[in-house]
Amino acid sequence: MTGAFDHILNWRLLPGSHAFPGPDGGTCINEAAVVAAGLPYRAIRSAADCPPCFSVPLAAYALGLNDAMPDAERPRLMAFVLRLAGSAAAPEVEAARVAHLARETVRRLLPPALEQAGLPAEAAACREAASLKEAVAAAQRAAWPAGAAA
């Protein structure tokens, strides 16, 4: 006997947008979230394609992660599929989410890339940024040396 949720439990997250459920058995994270929420399937090419009950910043970030992650790591995003529907919030909450995502991207994702480029001081400055303003400043200071190193 198969369960009603087997198609979701065995879902494969894939980069890009897909025809339901995709020729290779999956979709992107936002398309999976649409299906998991019981909404009519729709192709998602950007956060603007998501239903209004999805937080635009969270959907955009999830889509970026989904498309950038290595295939072996992408299944880790399945934990967020059930969290996207109903995540839309008041404008001030959405603005705070944007600020948080930007700050944490500078603090957590930029340092390893800078270290690999041989820029440990710039990596440390990004990692230590406590506010969005500090994160933006650290990222801007790192931009020129990182570009020159590339």
Side-chain angles (χ1 to χ4, degrees), residues 29 33 62 76-85:
I29 185 171
R76 296 173 63 188
L77 294 175
M78 284 299 291
F80 300 99
V81 166
L82 296 176
R83 297 176 181 176
L84 286 168

Side-chain angles (χ1 to χ4, degrees), residues 4-89:
F5 294 104
D6 283 353
H7 67 289
I8 294 172
L9 294 174
N10 298 314
W11 208 269
R12 285 187 53 217
L13 294 179
L14 303 168
S17 182
H18 307 272
F20 180 77
D24 33 16
T27 63
C28 78
I29 185 171
N30 289 312
E31 292 164 344
V34 166
V35 172
L39 300 169
Y41 177 80
R42 62 172 81 182
I44 306 291
R45 291 178 184 80
S46 76
D49 296 331
C50 290
C53 64
F54 282 45
S55 164
V56 172
L58 296 181
Y61 201 75
L63 190 62
L65 287 175
N66 179 86
D67 289 351
M69 287 183 102
D71 292 341
E73 295 296 320
R74 195 173 297 108
R76 296 173 63 188
L77 294 175
M78 284 299 291
F80 300 99
V81 166
L82 296 176
R83 297 176 181 176
L84 286 168
S87 62

Side-chain angles (χ1 to χ4, degrees), residues 105-119 123 126-127:
T105 296
V106 170
R107 293 183 72 224
R108 297 176 189 214
L109 300 181
L110 196 51
L114 290 168
E115 287 165 349
Q116 197 147 26
L119 301 165
C126 289
R127 192 174 282 114

